[in-house]
Amino acid sequence: MNKATPGAVARAAALALAWSLPPAQATQQPAAPQPSAKASARAPAGAPLKATVSHWWTSGGESAAIRQFADAYTRAGGQWIDQAVAGADQSRASTINRIVGGNAPVAAQFNTSKQFRDIVDQGLLNNLDDVAARGNWDNILPRTIIDAIKINGHYYAAPVDIHMPAWFFYSKAAYAKAGIQAEPKSWEEFVAQLERLKKAGLIPLAFGGQVWQEKIVFDAIFALVGGPELYLKIYRDRDLRAVASPAFRDVLVKFKALRAYTDPGSPGRNWNDATALVVSGRAGVQIMGDWAKGEFTSAGQVAGKHFGCFPGFGPRPPYMVAGDAFVFPKTAKPQIVQAQKLLATVMTAPGPQAEFSARKGSIPIRPDVDMSKLDVCARMGIEIMQDKARQLPNAEMLLDPDLNGALQDVLTNYWNRNETPERAQQAFAQAIRDNTW
Amino acid sequence: MVAAPRKRVRAASLSAWIALVPMVATALGAYVLTILWTARVSVSSSRIFPSGDFVGLGQYERLFRNARWLLSLENLAIYGLLFIAACMVLGFLLAVFIDQKVAGEGVLRTVFLYPYAMSFVATGLVWQWILNPELGIQQVARHLGFGDFTFDWIVQQDKVLFTIVIATVWQASGLVMALLLSGLRGIDEELWKAARIDGIPKWRVYLSIVLPMLWPSLSTAFILLFVLVVKLFDAVVAMTQGGPGTASEVPAKFIMDYLFGRANIGLASAASMVLLLTVLAIVAPLYYARHKAMQRGVK
């Protein structure tokens, strides 16, 4: 997702180096349970299918996760050449530059979103229709994911995980200190709990005052308070009347009400520093994506025991779907096309999916995966995903990066300034009008 | 006999021209062509990829309707004025101070110039901590017993820009000091002697005689500072990321955001062109004046 971990560049470079060496022990490994479809795409003996893979997973948990794909690819007869670039924006920019420059990687990471729509429109990606057909993607993938990766009837990306960007993570210790017994069932209960946390001398809401984090919190409130219908009306249909409606005004008001429960140090704070406040019990709750679990885990905390998670209020809150996917730049070289198909097959196969998800903190893209290693929150997520009606695409799947960014600007101004909700409604509508041309 | 030296001169200038060719080619390729390319992209509807269509000044219209862009220009103007003024005053005072033949001059010079040698991406983080109300100066003062001491500019919409001025002045005033010090050292001792004989107070000599004589050093310092202002990016990213909200937004960051994160190179190119034209409009007359002054000086 959006988190950049510059500190890990060196480690990533070292990893990249290590992985670019010929896989010595790989050939001696016994044939582990492999995806059945892989046989048809297997490389001819003696010539490993080289694949340069560009991605931005450089933090500890992330690089451990993508290593699962690398190992699985090596076992399937390929040779993985890791090209990690720290920072999602930088990584995508480097991929696009390399595509334009004629030196495209074999596979490159994007979010499961509209980020790669322009590249598809320019005809610069190979499609994965045969991999998708063999893997039965039409039937096993969630609708929201298919909508993001299937363009004009063709599959242009291999989804590798599902992230839910709007979890509520709370510290059990802080909740106990404030005398809160249960998770909130409604917005009103949630606000009452924040009030109690405040009275107990804690930071009620651990908040990272960066634009993208403000947007995540807003979208969570939008989907929960405004409801999926209004959410889709605005983000998908760009309905300006809905933007002007009292219902949307109410969403904005409730979003801003949270500001009273943040601390003065929140502006500019990194997401993981905000998570650390919850880990240490100084803050009560944080609204953040499931990648935050990595911070809890590395502090030795266990989901359900030291910290709790809930995806929203009420009996059936919507589950916001986001995630990562790999695209495969166009080439006619049969070796590379073969490598791309093998990569797509391996990354979406049940075995590597289980190993990857357990380390990444996400949930697998398909239901037929061994879930035993996943934590309580991930299992809750999988259960919710079975109810298709609760799946809700995140904003990036519905908006192109430009408009999404313009709306971030509007929201950050509203959050940080003394601005009326009416003014924010107007700015919201203006941004939508300006970015449609 | 008369023709020979002239021929030699011509040959020498020819070889000089040949030696310049790689530089000229690089300048044309790396600067002029890319500027032309940016100008072309800025009148197209390009998003992720450069596209060849022509939308006239559409991107520029959109740019000047964009509240964030207008705010970033305004921020840059305020920041630029404060930053350049503070650096000039502070740098001049430091230079005068060191010029008093103080003990340990070498050490002091290094100390004052040192911040300029460090990347702001590294020191910006430290500044962010120093100014953070929960970690830095405010917290320390409160622990020391000043219960309601408040210094939280970095989280205040209307003051955050000043924190960036403070931090970057810390970084760049040493540079001004070094430039002005070399200028001061170039001033003839005789002048000081004459002033002492006439009984003119020292501050008056500095203000009325030395300062005007430092004009070339001052204009060099100004141009260097001005360049720092226009390309202001790393300090903002390291300290505030443009926040809170968009309060410390600057044009360079706007351009980078639209270029990469928002995949809109058309709008980013239009913004770059506006920035380039602004710089030319301010720096070009200054260069011209400096050039004229230098010529007069030589004569």
Side-chain angles (χ1 to χ4, degrees):
Chain A
M1 292 301 298
N2 283 320
K3 42 186 176 152
T5 328
V9 183
R11 198 172 11 170
L15 271 178
L17 245 177
W19 291 350
S20 60
L21 297 173
Q25 337 94 307
T27 43
Q28 284 135 30
Q29 276 182 359
Q34 286 295 309
S36 56
K38 153 232 100 200
S40 55
R42 187 186 266 284
L49 284 172
K50 275 193 195 176
T52 49
V53 183
S54 163
H55 62 89
W56 61 79
W57 284 325
T58 53
S59 82
E62 289 171 341
S63 45
I66 192 153
R67 187 165 230 159
Q68 303 310 311
F69 286 154
D71 290 349
Y73 184 66
T74 310
R75 283 198 301 273
Q79 183 187 343
W80 177 284
I81 300 169
D82 199 71
Q83 294 181 331
V85 175
D89 284 355
Q90 288 78 354
S91 175
R92 289 195 292 267
S94 124
T95 297
I96 288 159
N97 282 341
R98 290 176 61 184
I99 291 177
V100 174
N103 175 32
V106 170
Q109 183 191 359
F110 279 82
N111 289 128
T112 316
S113 68
K114 293 208 171 195
Q115 284 162 359
F116 51 88
R117 186 60 63 99
D118 280 3
I119 315 178
V120 174
D121 291 344
Q122 300 276 328
L124 293 170
L125 293 185
N126 280 335
N127 76 48
L128 299 165
D129 290 347
D130 47 350
V131 177
R134 262 203 312 272
N136 196 21
W137 287 10
D138 274 332
N139 295 315
I140 62 162
L141 294 184
R143 187 77 245 159
T144 42
I145 302 266
I146 293 178
D147 287 343
I149 61 171
K150 194 174 189 179
I151 299 158
N152 305 328
H154 300 287
Y155 281 102
Y156 282 103
V160 294
D161 59 26
I162 296 170
H163 272 300
M164 146 77 162
W167 278 98
F168 292 66
F169 292 105
Y170 65 96
S171 157
K172 295 225 164 179
Y175 264 45
K177 195 176 170 197
I180 302 168
Q181 313 290 342
E183 290 163 7
K185 300 270 179 303
S186 66
W187 169 259
E188 287 71 25
E189 266 186 55
F190 179 61
V191 174
Q193 293 189 350
L194 291 175
E195 202 60 55
R196 292 184 73 161
L197 286 161
K198 197 175 190 176
K199 285 217 180 79
L202 299 160
I203 302 169
L205 184 68
F207 191 80
Q210 292 174 349
V211 181
W212 66 274
Q213 297 185 63
E214 290 162 356
K215 182 80 173 5
I216 278 186
V217 174
F218 174 78
D219 284 348
I221 305 304
F222 190 3
L224 287 169
V225 173
E229 207 175 309
L230 184 67
Y231 178 97
L232 288 173
K233 237 187 209 166
I234 291 180
Y235 279 163
R236 185 188 59 201
D237 310 334
R238 320 230 169 128
D239 181 344
L240 293 178
R241 256 177 315 171
V243 174
S245 67
F248 188 62
R249 185 184 181 277
D250 183 49
V251 171
L252 285 163
V253 169
K254 287 188 165 136
F255 167 63
K256 184 101 176 228
L258 292 179
R259 199 159 196 275
Y261 302 105
T262 63
D263 64 307
S266 65
R269 181 185 280 147
N270 288 320
W271 69 272
N272 47 343
D273 295 334
T275 311
L277 291 174
V278 182
V279 171
S280 67
R282 283 184 58 205
V285 58
Q286 182 188 17
I287 304 171
M288 187 40 63
D290 40 20
W291 51 86
K293 283 186 294 186
E295 299 297 307
F296 289 101
T297 315
S298 61
Q301 299 201 343
V302 177
K305 196 170 153 204
H306 304 99
F307 70 98
C309 52
F310 53 93
F313 324 120
R316 296 175 73 252
Y319 195 77
M320 213 177 278
V321 178
D324 300 284
F326 280 84
V327 301
F328 300 91
K330 184 151 248 170
T331 169
K333 289 189 189 132
Q335 275 283 85
I336 296 183
V337 174
Q338 220 180 341
Q340 291 179 330
K341 287 182 179 162
L342 183 58
L343 269 175
T345 313
V346 166
M347 286 173 167
T348 52
Q353 275 287 311
E355 297 295 331
F356 176 88
S357 308
R359 286 164 183 81
K360 186 73 173 67
S362 55
I363 65 176
I365 50 156
R366 49 196 297 163
D368 54 344
V369 168
D370 172 17
M371 308 291 184
S372 60
K373 283 191 187 135
L374 303 180
D375 59 56
V376 186
C377 309
R379 266 179 277 173
M380 194 193 300
I382 290 163
E383 206 187 299
I384 300 174
M385 285 296 287
Q386 278 159 10
D387 182 352
K388 289 196 172 68
R390 288 175 67 180
Q391 299 173 6
L392 189 66
N394 82 329
E396 283 182 57
M397 288 188 179
L398 302 169
L399 306 167
D400 48 43
D402 198 7
L403 178 52
N404 194 45
L407 296 182
Q408 283 181 350
D409 288 347
V410 171
L411 288 169
T412 195
N413 279 334
Y414 172 64
W415 174 264
N416 286 290
R417 283 189 203 164
N418 191 10
E419 201 177 275
T420 62
E422 287 78 16
R423 174 83 196 81
Q425 280 173 298
Q426 283 165 14
F428 219 88
Q430 183 65 39
I432 291 175
R433 272 194 298 268
D434 268 357
N435 286 276
T436 324
W437 70 316
Chain B
M1 280 310 283
V2 178
R6 199 181 298 158
K7 203 180 273 173
R8 220 178 298 140
V9 167
R10 215 176 286 150
S13 78
L14 185 70
S15 60
W17 276 110
I18 290 173
L20 275 177
V21 164
M23 211 277 283
V24 171
T26 314
L28 282 179
Y31 295 101
V32 178
L33 281 181
T34 46
I35 289 172
L36 291 177
W37 190 82
T38 308
R40 176 68 191 85
V41 171
S42 76
V43 289
S44 71
S45 67
S46 308
R47 300 184 79 83
I48 281 192
F49 295 104
S51 84
D53 65 346
F54 181 78
V55 296
L57 295 179
Q59 298 281 19
Y60 291 87
E61 275 168 32
R62 222 187 121 196
L63 185 65
F64 281 94
R65 265 206 313 271
N66 189 317
R68 189 174 148 194
W69 170 251
L70 295 174
L71 178 69
S72 69
L73 286 181
E74 191 187 318
N75 280 347
L76 194 72
I78 298 171
Y79 168 83
L81 282 175
L82 292 174
F83 170 77
I84 291 179
C87 277
M88 286 291 201
V89 171
L90 213 61
F92 179 67
L93 291 178
L94 286 174
V96 169
F97 165 64
I98 285 189
D99 197 37
Q100 307 307 306
K101 317 267 180 340
V102 288
E105 186 193 316
V107 177
L108 285 175
R109 258 205 322 235
T110 314
V111 169
F112 293 144
L113 196 55
Y114 189 65
Y116 190 67
M118 304 217 301
S119 154
F120 210 92
V121 173
T123 48
L125 205 60
V126 178
W127 273 102
Q128 190 198 329
W129 289 332
I130 294 175
L131 298 167
N132 186 306
E134 302 271 280
L135 302 167
I137 297 173
Q138 173 174 319
Q139 196 69 357
V140 171
R142 287 188 182 181
H143 278 310
L144 288 175
F146 301 96
D148 46 1
F149 176 84
T150 304
F151 183 60
D152 58 352
W153 287 8
I154 200 162
V155 299
Q156 298 292 333
Q157 284 277 320
D158 48 348
K159 301 208 181 72
V160 62
L161 211 53
F162 302 135
T163 65
I164 294 171
V165 173
I166 294 172
T168 48
V169 165
W170 164 84
Q171 193 197 24
S173 49
L175 172 76
V176 178
M177 174 214 72
L179 284 167
L180 296 189
L181 187 61
S182 70
L184 285 177
R185 291 287 149 88
I187 287 171
D188 201 342
E189 269 307 302
E190 295 300 317
L191 193 117
W192 281 108
K193 282 183 193 154
R196 222 166 317 156
I197 289 164
D198 290 344
I200 306 171
K202 226 173 180 183
W203 65 267
R204 193 64 211 262
V205 184
Y206 272 117
L207 218 59
S208 305
I209 304 174
V210 174
L211 210 50
M213 287 179 75
L214 284 179
W215 160 243
S217 302
L218 285 171
S219 67
T220 305
F222 175 82
I223 287 172
L224 288 178
L225 291 177
F226 184 75
V227 169
L228 285 182
V229 169
V230 173
K231 69 177 190 183
L232 175 66
F233 174 76
D234 46 0
V236 171
V237 171
M239 285 175 60
T240 67
Q241 298 194 1
T246 49
S248 56
E249 201 57 58
V250 287
K253 183 167 169 291
F254 179 96
I255 292 168
M256 294 298 269
D257 274 3
Y258 274 84
L259 213 47
F260 297 118
R262 300 191 180 175
N264 191 334
I265 62 173
L267 193 70
S269 299
S272 311
M273 290 309 291
V274 171
L275 207 55
L276 176 72
L277 293 175
T278 317
V279 171
L280 287 181
I282 295 179
V283 171
L286 198 80
Y287 258 113
Y288 182 73
R290 185 158 155 263
H291 179 70
K292 281 275 170 205
M294 292 256 210
Q295 266 181 344
R296 248 179 281 132
V298 168
K299 275 170 196 164

